[in-house]
């Protein structure tokens, strides 16, 4: 159970694929996803748990991958932005961000998409205040948030239609 | 279908939405090493010794270069915005005199197998400093016994500049000063009914693009051993030119590529020392190296902006007509001047008179060095402070004269019949109905009723704040001659290269580089209209010096849409004309009777007589008979477009807040903007740019501030201390547009990337000030934090009125 | 530049015994990892340089929260803030814990961060410490020496300092069952509306007598305005045994006294004076709501 001076094995599922990898214990989950698994859609904007660009879905809940060690995710089931679109078709949330112009430079976007997918799973019909409160976990420097709020509303409508 | 003006969905979105974007941190090359930068921990000190022995011995470390290894290796980084009396025209990559001038200043670089090993190595480098007295602000810097950052200068003023309508100034730089009446400023002030003087303090902010800076340098065997630099920049061509100069390396051997860039907002329009250091390592080690800045480094070494101390004087008549203004601007530029030098502070002065109808102005601008991170460009480039200062002063005067603030603006606007109107700083505002624009937002909020409601709530102990403001923004930087005359030593032109491919698809190559501005979509719309195809059929190639025409200044100064858009439009128009001539020959229809639409060139009135754009293009590329032996094969056309004039975008806004005096915090009630940037290429993109800019303006008034202690140590180095706005901190914005086309642009486009900050800063400042007016408090210091509001309400902080009677 | 995360080993025990053993076997340079949201930031910024990290992720008995037989609440060391925020039991019986949960960090942080970690990190502004003090909660601490229980009131000793020895593990937080005629409430002020460190937070417990007028007992705990969260005992003394219906100014005076008991610092977020004033306001609001809730729980 100890691993002093050695590498630890991390076995986890990301977007439905199973990975097993040896990591230094100090490796951050975000670095593990980006550097070891080459899933570079998860971005790093602050590396101190504030900006939300590194948000992933970890065992069904939004999490910041920059304030977690890879070894903590041993056995976990993780979803990242790369797992959203299916067969090249954008997920309704992605489609809503596209239609509502909810992204400009796109750097914060993967984190927002993950946050919003968690949000809409729990609150399918959020009010504007609820949207603003919930997405305030993520920083966007381009949009002033207005089009992101609209994108979340649009996504909620699209997801309801699907049901 | 006309594509310019249509809400075309963005073409760049798909990869960004699916995690397939390629930002510089995503680049991974075989054999690549990872860098970490050694930075000064001292605000002001002499480096006595650096011992990197242990770092060099750490397994996995490949190179450690510190000041002494680097000091003679590079030419300094030039300051591009030059004034005659400027003391430093260039800054060292690492401190040549062994003296560090701000916490975070680069003094070395490590390359290692992994980033955390490089960081471990930094921890093993011992730097011995001899501390020097630090200067933490302009007041300290200008004190009699102030320590000098650059002792050979004799003081801490890097540069000063004066403009005065009394002596006639050629601010516009077109060699013409005769236009205006050159009123004597002192005389105007002496004869005025009232003179108001205020000192304003504006906080230190920075852009904080969500992607930090970073680069990958590589000698690329795939491109003939060229030095390739992928860097997160707004200005790849500018970076290449300056990098070649600093390295003494042939420019044709350097290829600079801006991959996907996660925001810039001005911070990424500079060449930084770190990029030079990374390139030096790749040249030494002959291996690819990568440097990715972390956020704390970005706090310390990404350019800062906006901080100024400004004395404003305004002379007015008893009925509220502005007669003259005086400014003394002390810009806190940090330890060195960045690429853009005194430019932002000059812009603050130059645009201060805004679109108000008066003649006398004097401005004195001082760029003051302090032991802080160098200040550079940030969205608005000094102009948001022009508006903030002017609009705040108008409210202060209006309050004192008991004139409604909206009415005071109306009394001072030039009327549409007076346009074009030349400001005292020689800006000629082309067209626009400013009174109508302001009236429109006043009507949207039902201003009269709102004021009545404010009064009514006041009697119930509730404090509404109603902010009114108007701005005019200079943008679309060019013409080149004007830029040089004003001291900005780069060209203002843009080039467009357009080709219709043999299959009828289209490529536009442009020298500007998008980092969120949607060029891939908007420039495609511009080209699509000319060549008669859907924008989806147009690819915009950008961001790579090897593939695009030279752009002297890149995506800065809200110039991509008007200037690169203008170039793209003119080049595409030439392609269209050439194709129509060939089609005319092939179809035997007069060229004037032909048109192109939906990918077909056909005779007007006889649509069946025609051929596809693809067939014409294939014919032209195929070396076939063009009907005119003097015509070149192919469809390519290239246009270099230097705009004949600067464009002036404008907007009016009203903001309503409710202040809670108990907590000194506030809630949003309304935020309404009317905006005019001439022809809109894509209204959705325009709205997005405006809203984003507004957020960056507002946050500079309500939340953001880079704070240093008196010893020059930064106190805000994380996002828990420097508060960026979240969705919960922003108002819902209501936007309307008027469209007064620019007379200078072939499409009537004006720039609009920065105006949001010019909307957000003054109107929110005025709304808060309007609420605080009810406590007899004047707002002159920014940001207006709860802390400051509380102190002002309860302890009589800030200014009280002290105007001359 | 600052990612100076030193090398360390990670131990992942499967049960509490193993965890305690792991802690005992390593020196003081050992840190416990629960949600990791504070620890990882400390590591990132080089403020913490442990040689070992004991990760509790696999200790299933520490997870979750539940009501015990007496109707009290047991919050396991690995129970997340989100679990508290969304628990119907907590909402019904301990609303003063929902409020700090909602205001802590961001959604993602709340999904990972634990209540126990919030207490153990022992920041002066820790969201949960004042309400747990007001609720009379205690922490169960295990080590090889055995088990002991420490009131949360006595837990924090200063910025990032607490009663835990390096070989101790806080395994559970116990909140006593709600009492009749007793209300508990929480109030905090943040400058950025969400995702910010509090300028001040206050939690109050008030127990009324059967008449519903006299304050039988009161606890008023303040956070972010001293080196550690503390009880404003002088303010409490003004209220204890008093008829609250008698004197409308009494609550104001008690709140003002709480403000006088605060010893805040000035930093980039707020001045000492502002914090003092906001302490008065938050104390007053917490007291008012606590009294209101006490009235609603008349039986």
């Amino acid at each position: 159970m100890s691993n002093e001076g050695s590498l630890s094995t991390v076995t986890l599922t990301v977007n439905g694929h199973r990975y097993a990898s040896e990591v230094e214990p100090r490796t951050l989950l975000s670095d593990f996803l980006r550097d070891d698994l080459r899933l570079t859609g998860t971005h790093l904007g602050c590396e101190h748990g504030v900006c939300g660009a590194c948000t992933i879905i970890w065992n069904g809940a939004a999490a910041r991958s920059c304030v977690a060690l890879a070894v903590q995710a041993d056995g976990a089931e993780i979803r990242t932005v790369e797992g959203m679109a299916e067969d090249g078709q954008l997920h309704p949330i992605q489609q809503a961000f596209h239609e509502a112009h909810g992204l400009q430079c796109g750097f914060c976007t993967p984190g927002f998409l993950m946050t919003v997918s968690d949000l809409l799973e729990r609150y399918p019909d959020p009010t504007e205040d609820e949207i603003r409160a919930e997405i305030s976990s993520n920083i966007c420097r381009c949009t002033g948030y207005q089009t992101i709020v609209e994108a979340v509303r649009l996504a909620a409508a699209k997801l309801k239609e699907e049901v | 279908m006309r594509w310019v003006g249509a809400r075309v969905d963005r073409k760049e979105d798909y990869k960004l939405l699916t995690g397939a974007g390629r930002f510089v941190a995503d680049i991974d090359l075989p054999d690549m090493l990872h860098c970490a930068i050694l930075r000064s921990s001292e605000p002001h000190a002499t480096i006595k010794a650096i011992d990197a022995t242990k770092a060099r011995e750490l397994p996995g470390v490949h190179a450690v270069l510190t000041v002494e290894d680097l000091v003679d290796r590079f030419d300094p980084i030039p300051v591009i915005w030059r004034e005659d009396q400027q003391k430093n025209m260039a800054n060292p990559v690492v401190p040549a005199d062994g003296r560090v001038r701000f916490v975070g200043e680069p003094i070395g670089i490590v390359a290692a197998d992994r980033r955390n090993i490089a960081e471990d190595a930094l921890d093993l480098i011992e730097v011995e400093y001899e501390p020097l007295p630090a200067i933490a602000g302009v007041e300290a810097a200008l004190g009699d016994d102030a320590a000098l950052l650059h002792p050979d200068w004799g003081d801490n003023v890097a540069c000063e500049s004066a403009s005065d309508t009394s002596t006639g100034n050629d601010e516009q730089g077109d060699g013409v000063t005769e236009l205006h009446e050159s009123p004597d400023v002192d005389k105007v002030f002496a004869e005025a009914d009232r003179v108001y003087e205020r000192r304003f303090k504006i906080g230190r902010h920075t852009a904080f693009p969500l992607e930090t800076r970073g680069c990958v340098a590589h000698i690329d065997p795939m491109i003939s051993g060229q030095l390739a630099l992928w860097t997160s920049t707004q200005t790849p061509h500018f970076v290449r030119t300056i990098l070649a100069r600093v390295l003494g390396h042939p420019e044709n051997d350097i290829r600079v590529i801006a991959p996907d860039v996660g925001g810039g907002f001005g911070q990424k329009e500079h060449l930084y020392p770190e990029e030079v250091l990374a390139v030096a390592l790749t040249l030494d080690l002959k291996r690819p190296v990568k440097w990715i800045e972390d956020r704390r480094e970005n706090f310390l070494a990404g350019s800062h902006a906006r901080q100024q101390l400004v004395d404003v004087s305004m002379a007015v008549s008893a009925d509220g007509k502005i007669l003259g203004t005086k400014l003394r601007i002390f810009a806190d530029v940090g330890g060195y001047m960045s690429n853009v030098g005194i430019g932002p502070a000059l812009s603050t002065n130059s645009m201060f008179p805004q679109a108000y109808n008066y003649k006398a102005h004097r401005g004195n601008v001082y760029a003051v060095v302090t032991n802080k991170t160098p200040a550079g460009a940030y969205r608005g480039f000094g102009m948001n402070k022009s508006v903030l200062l002017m609009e705040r002063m108008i409210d202060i005067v209006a309050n004192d004269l008991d004139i409604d603030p909206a009415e005071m603006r109306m009394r001072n606007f030039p009327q549409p019949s007076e346009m074009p109107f030349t400001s005292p700083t020689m800006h000629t505002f082309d067209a626009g109905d400013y009174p109508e624009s302001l009236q429109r937002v006043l009507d949207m909020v039902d201003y009269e009723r709102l004021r009545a409601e404010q009064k009514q709530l006041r009697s119930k102990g509730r404090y509404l704040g109603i902010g009114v403001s108007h701005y005019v923004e200079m943008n679309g930087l060019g013409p080149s001659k004007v830029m040089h005359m004003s001291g900005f030593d780069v060209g203002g032109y843009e080039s467009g290269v357009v080709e219709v491919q043999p299959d009828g698809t289209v490529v536009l190559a442009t020298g500007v580089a998008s980092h969120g501005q949607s060029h891939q979509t908007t420039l495609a719309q511009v080209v699509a209209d000319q060549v008669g195809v859907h924008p989806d059929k147009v690819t915009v190639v950008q961001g790579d010096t090897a593939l695009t025409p030279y752009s002297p200044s890149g995506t800065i100064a809200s110039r991509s849409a008007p200037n690169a858009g203008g170039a793209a439009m003119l080049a595409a128009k030439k392609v269209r004309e050439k194709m129509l001539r060939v089609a005319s020959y092939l179809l035997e229809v007069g060229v004037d009777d032909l048109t192109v639409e939906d990918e077909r060139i056909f005779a007007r009135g006889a649509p069946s007589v025609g051929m596809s754009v693809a067939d014409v293009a294939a014919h032209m590329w195929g070396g076939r008979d063009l009907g005119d032996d003097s015509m070149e094969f192919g469809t390519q056309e290239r246009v270099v477009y230097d705009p004949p004039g600067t464009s002036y975008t404008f907007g009016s806004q009203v903001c309503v807040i409710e202040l809670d005096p108990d907590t000194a915090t506030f809630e949003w009630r309304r935020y309404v903007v009317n905006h005019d940037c001439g022809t809109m290429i894509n209204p959705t993109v325009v709205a997005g740019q405006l809203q984003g800019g507004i957020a960056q303006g507002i946050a500079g008034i309500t939340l953001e501030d880079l704070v240093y202690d008196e010893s020059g140590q930064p106190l805000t180095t994380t996002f828990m201390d420097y508060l960026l706005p979240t969705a919960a901190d922003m108002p819902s914005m209501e936007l309307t547009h008027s469209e007064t086309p620019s007379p200078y642009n072939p499409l009537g486009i004006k720039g609009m990337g920065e105006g949001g900050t010019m909307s957000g800063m003054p109107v929110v400042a005025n709304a808060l000030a309007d609420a605080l007016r009810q406590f007899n408090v004047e707002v002159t210091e920014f940001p207006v934090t709860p802390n400051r509001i509380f102190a002002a309400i309860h302890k009589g902080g800030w200014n009280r009125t002290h105007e001359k009677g | 530049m600052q990612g100076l995360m030193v090398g360390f080993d990670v131990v992942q025990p499967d049960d509490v015994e193993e965890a305690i053993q792991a802690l005992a076997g390593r020196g003081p340079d050992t840190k416990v990892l629960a949600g990791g949201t504070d620890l990882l930031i400390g590591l990132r910024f080089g403020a913490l340089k442990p040689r070992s990290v004991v990760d509790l992720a696999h200790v299933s008995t520490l997870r979750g929260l539940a009501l015990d037989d007496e109707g009290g609440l047991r919050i396991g060391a690995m129970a997340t803030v989100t679990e508290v925020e969304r628990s119907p039991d907590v909402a019904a019986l301990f609303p003063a814990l929902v409020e700090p949960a909602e205001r802590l960090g961001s959604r993602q942080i709340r999904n990972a961060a634990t209540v126990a970690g919030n207490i153990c990190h022992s920041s002066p502004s820790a969201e949960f410490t004042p309400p747990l003090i007001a609720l009379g909660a205690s922490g169960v601490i295990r080590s090889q020496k055995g088990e002991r229980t420490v009131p949360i009131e006595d837990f924090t000793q200063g910025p990032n300092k607490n009663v835990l020895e390096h070989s101790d593990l806080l395994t559970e937080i116990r909140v006593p069952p709600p009492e009749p005629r007793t209300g508990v409430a929480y109030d905090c002020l943040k400058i950025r509306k969400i995702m910010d460190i509090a300028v001040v937070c206050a939690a109050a417990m008030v127990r009324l007598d059967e008449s519903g007028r006299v304050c039988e007992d009161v606890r008023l705990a303040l956070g972010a305005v001293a080196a550690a969260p503390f009880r404003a005992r002088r303010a409490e003394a003004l209220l204890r045994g008093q008829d609250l219906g008698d004197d409308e100014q009494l609550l104001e005076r008690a709140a003002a006294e709480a403000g006088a008991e605060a010893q805040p610092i000035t930093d980039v977020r707020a001045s000492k004076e502002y914090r003092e004033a906001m302490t008065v306001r938050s104390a007053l609001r917490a007291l008012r709501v606590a009294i209101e809730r006490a009235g609603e729980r008349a039986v």
Side-chain angles (χ1 to χ4, degrees), chain B residues 526-559:
Chain B
V526 167
V527 171
D529 273 344
Q530 298 304 318
V531 297
V533 301
H534 191 283
D536 283 351
K537 290 273 172 86
V538 183
T539 292
V540 178
V541 176
Q542 55 180 332
D544 184 338
T545 57
L547 302 178
T548 63
Y550 193 82
S551 164
S553 49
T555 295
I556 67 166
S558 305
R559 57 191 300 287

Side-chain angles (χ1 to χ4, degrees), chain B residues 416-437:
Chain B
S417 58
E418 295 172 273
M419 304 297 275
F421 164 82
T422 300
S423 85
T425 45
M426 304 308 295
H427 291 279
T428 300
F429 302 127
D430 40 60
D433 188 340
Y434 303 145
E436 192 274 338
S437 173

Side-chain angles (χ1 to χ4, degrees), chain C residues 202-224:
Chain C
M205 181 283 290
V206 175
R207 191 171 74 234
L208 300 175
D209 74 350
E210 289 188 356
S211 74
R213 292 171 57 103
V214 176
C215 170
E216 267 187 10
D217 195 12
V218 57
R219 280 193 287 266
L220 178 61
L222 302 174

Side-chain angles (χ1 to χ4, degrees), chain B residues 151-220:
Chain B
D152 51 319
W153 296 1
D155 60 23
N156 285 319
V157 179
C159 179
E160 57 182 278
S161 170
S163 70
D164 192 332
T165 49
S166 313
T167 51
N169 226 314
D170 183 17
E171 276 272 340
Q172 188 83 314
D174 59 357
V176 183
T177 56
E178 303 74 31
L179 272 175
H180 68 141
E181 297 162 24
S182 303
D184 185 313
V185 177
D186 292 327
K187 192 158 169 277
V188 166
F189 271 74
E191 292 171 359
D193 293 336
R194 300 280 183 101
V195 170
Y196 296 84
E197 293 173 356
R198 293 292 184 276
R199 169 164 284 197
F200 291 90
K201 291 180 181 175
I202 297 160
R204 195 172 192 83
H205 309 152
T206 184
F208 286 127
L210 208 61
E211 180 206 27
T212 56
R213 299 176 298 146
C215 63
V216 170
H218 179 34
I219 298 167
D220 193 341

Side-chain angles (χ1 to χ4, degrees), chain C residues 26-44:
Chain C
R26 275 142 230 276
D29 292 342
T30 305
K31 296 299 286 184
V32 173
L33 171 60
T37 53
D38 283 321
L39 178 67
L40 267 285
I41 290 166
L43 293 172
R44 237 7 248 155

Side-chain angles (χ1 to χ4, degrees), chain C residues 153-228:
Chain C
E153 190 181 329
D154 301 329
F155 190 88
T156 308
Q157 298 172 320
N160 308 113
K161 280 190 201 136
N162 57 44
V163 297
L164 293 179
E165 305 277 331
H166 72 83
S167 55
D168 283 343
L169 182 68
L170 177 71
T171 56
E172 188 172 86
I173 294 165
R174 289 187 186 158
V175 185
E179 294 177 63
R181 306 185 312 278
T182 302
V184 188
Y186 174 84
D187 187 80
C188 92
L189 183 75
K190 296 186 173 188
I191 288 175
R192 182 163 56 190
K193 292 205 162 53
I194 289 167
M195 206 160 64
D196 197 6
I197 296 165
V199 168
V200 60
C201 52
M205 181 283 290
V206 175
R207 191 171 74 234
L208 300 175
D209 74 350
E210 289 188 356
S211 74
R213 292 171 57 103
V214 176
C215 170
E216 267 187 10
D217 195 12
V218 57
R219 280 193 287 266
L220 178 61
L222 302 174
V225 287

